[in-house]
Amino acid sequence: MAGICYSIKKNRLEKGLTVGFTMEQDGTLVMNEHETYHAIYVRALDCAANDGSWGRLSFDTQYPENMTCYVYVRALNETMFYREGALTRIDDFLCDPDESPTLKREFFTRVEAAKHVNHNDILMYEQKGRYLYFVIEFIGEGTGFVKQIRADRGGDNFMQTFPEVYRERGSFFHRYLSIFSSIYNDFQQDIEHLPELLDVDTCPVQLLNTYGKWLGIDLDCDIRDEQVLRALVREAYVLNRMKGTKRAVGRIAQIVLSEEVLILERNVMQDYMSSVNREDLAELYGNSIYDVTMLVSQPVTDLVKSQLMYLMDQFKPIRSRIHIIHLKSDGVLDSHNYLDMNARVFEVENGNLDEEQIMDGVVTLV
């Protein structure tokens, strides 16, 4: 088998040093567009055996044609070296942001590191040592990314199946077989990550619409918020169970708008409407018993409103018509407004009373 495989993910990258990159939540390193030097220094990988052999170093990357990628690789049994007469940890030197990149390149030159140009899949059969040190550099201006950095010890899967006379490490035959081993290892990596593709929290965003359709909810309405998409797919089964109810409509609105909304049913409200204000309220809440009004405390853009209505049409009760009204957070009273005993001001604000203001006995200043 391929032996021990090291995956360089976010935690290990944070312990090392990255220059000219911005790290995303999943550990992907995105190049800063206007910087000309980008570098990734990873603390030493330990194989726990002196003179240990190493197999393959690979990473996924994309960068402009005018940019050059350099990879320096060296395996050593030591973790310290003498610098200006004092012992210094190699990791601390390489991951020190104050040290010059030129001095770090000179270190790799002195330890006879292998240098690879514009390669992201590298065989390390000539490297022997307990600790593996490497740096990935990009020289040039532009944008790109680096992700899924991996290093393994064996590097091949097939050499052990041949007689010992053919097992010369680093031979032509060994390198030839490594082509098929690399393909096999990549397939194995994809197979091991298949469960992540079926997990709503880890699958690519592009798959969420498909998973939504599998679960009976159509999400093809240009929803750009990834968290909203994942929440809708995650709750699709529960939403389908209460389809056609007020609760389903309210939950969808809460997911999309990130707030609880107030839903008023015209059919229920008509018993509380007086004949005096019935016409005025009809303009606000509708005339039919099938009208439903949703009160939202935040402004709703046309895009969000269209997304919300697209989803509501799939879950609202049959024949119902939903109207969305967003409320302003505050209001203004002029000098001719009066508050009676049942009025209430919810937000406390500083105010001024002019000299002609009259207050009766039921007014209390707090």
Side-chain angles (χ1 to χ4, degrees):
M1 297 299 292
I4 300 175
C5 182
Y6 301 86
S7 293
I8 314 302
K9 297 187 177 180
K10 185 178 180 181
N11 184 50
R12 192 182 289 268
L13 290 171
E14 289 176 341
K15 291 180 180 179
L17 173 67
T18 56
V19 181
F21 286 96
T22 300
M23 188 181 304
E24 295 187 342
Q25 192 64 32
D26 63 351
T28 300
L29 295 171
V30 180
M31 299 176 189
N32 299 333
E33 184 176 1
H34 300 296
E35 297 188 31
T36 57
Y37 180 72
H38 315 267
I40 304 169
Y41 295 89
V42 179
R43 291 187 176 271
L45 305 180
D46 186 358
C47 72
N50 284 341
D51 295 324
S53 58
W54 295 88
R56 177 188 176 207
L57 173 67
S58 63
F59 53 92
D60 293 342
T61 184
Q62 181 177 310
Y63 53 93
E65 293 183 357
N66 62 344
M67 188 179 289
T68 306
C69 173
Y70 298 95
V71 181
Y72 299 88
V73 182
R74 186 68 170 104
L76 299 170
N77 288 324
E78 298 80 18
T79 60
M80 312 280 286
F81 76 110
Y82 279 98
R83 186 186 182 203
E84 298 177 353
L87 275 174
T88 304
R89 288 187 63 85
I90 298 175
D91 277 341
D92 293 341
F93 167 71
L94 294 177
C95 297
D96 187 347
D98 297 326
E99 293 289 351
S100 167
T102 303
L103 292 178
K104 295 177 183 179
R105 289 193 207 101
E106 184 180 346
F107 166 81
F108 279 105
T109 301
R110 291 192 176 187
V111 297
E112 299 179 345
K115 180 180 178 181
H116 304 270
V117 182
N118 290 333
H119 289 164
N120 65 322
D121 199 330
I122 299 165
L123 294 178
M124 303 182 291
Y125 293 155
E126 75 281 1
Q127 300 295 333
K128 287 188 177 293
R130 174 171 178 172
Y131 304 99
L132 181 69
Y133 300 92
F134 68 90
V135 59
I136 304 172
E137 290 184 328
F138 295 88
I139 310 298
E141 191 171 306
T143 184
F145 67 84
V146 178
K147 63 180 181 179
Q148 296 182 3
I149 305 173
R150 298 181 296 270
D152 65 59
R153 288 201 55 200
D156 62 76
N157 301 79
F158 308 120
M159 280 294 288
Q160 301 303 320
T161 63
F162 288 88
E164 190 171 353
V165 68
Y166 295 106
R167 298 181 191 174
E168 181 184 351
R169 186 171 180 81
S171 65
F172 171 79
F173 184 60
H174 189 192
R175 291 178 175 275
Y176 175 73
L177 284 182
S178 68
I179 298 173
F180 303 98
S181 294
S182 298
I183 297 172
Y184 177 87
N185 290 335
D186 289 341
F187 280 149
Q188 189 63 34
Q189 286 275 347
D190 293 338
I191 292 171
E192 290 175 357
H193 287 86
L194 280 178
E196 296 180 7
L197 296 178
L198 297 174
D199 189 333
V200 175
D201 295 320
T202 58
C203 71
V205 181
Q206 296 82 356
L207 292 176
L208 291 173
N209 283 354
T210 301
Y211 292 164
K213 290 179 181 178
W214 289 359
L215 295 169
I217 176 172
D218 188 354
L219 300 174
D220 192 15
C221 53
D222 196 24
I223 298 178
R224 299 170 187 174
D225 191 326
E226 179 180 334
Q227 298 305 317
V228 170
L229 277 173
R230 294 190 189 276
L232 288 169
V233 176
R234 192 183 299 113
E235 298 189 28
Y237 174 75
V238 177
L239 290 170
N240 275 309
R241 290 191 62 185
M242 54 187 183
K243 180 179 288 188
T245 65
K246 175 182 177 181
R247 185 180 175 190
V249 171
R251 180 56 188 155
I252 290 176
Q254 185 178 8
I255 293 173
V256 175
L257 301 174
S258 300
E259 69 162 273
E260 279 196 53
V261 299
L262 181 61
I263 299 176
L264 303 176
E265 301 173 74
R266 176 66 170 78
N267 185 42
V268 176
M269 292 182 60
Q270 64 181 0
D271 296 333
Y272 302 97
M273 292 181 181
S274 64
S275 58
V276 177
N277 61 359
R278 189 179 298 271
E279 292 184 1
D280 295 334
L281 293 176
E283 294 183 5
L284 185 61
Y285 301 116
N287 292 301
S288 170
I289 60 173
Y290 302 109
D291 287 322
V292 178
T293 301
M294 184 182 300
L295 301 181
V296 184
S297 64
Q298 59 178 289
V300 180
T301 64
D302 291 338
L303 176 61
V304 174
K305 184 176 180 180
S306 65
Q307 295 169 354
L308 196 55
M309 297 304 296
Y310 188 88
L311 295 170
M312 293 295 181
D313 287 340
Q314 302 175 54
F315 288 88
K316 70 179 184 177
I318 296 175
R319 299 179 66 183
S320 63
R321 296 192 296 263
I322 296 181
H323 310 277
I324 299 176
I325 298 177
H326 64 84
L327 308 174
K328 292 185 177 180
S329 59
D330 53 15
V332 178
L333 300 178
D334 61 23
S335 59
H336 296 286
N337 284 276
Y338 297 89
L339 301 179
D340 61 17
M341 293 180 61
N342 294 320
R344 179 180 177 187
V345 178
F346 287 88
E347 295 184 6
V348 179
E349 297 286 347
N350 294 328
N352 296 317
L353 298 178
D354 60 28
E355 60 183 7
E356 298 180 358
Q357 183 66 42
I358 300 176
M359 295 183 291
D360 58 21
V362 298
V363 177
T364 303
L365 298 179
V366 180

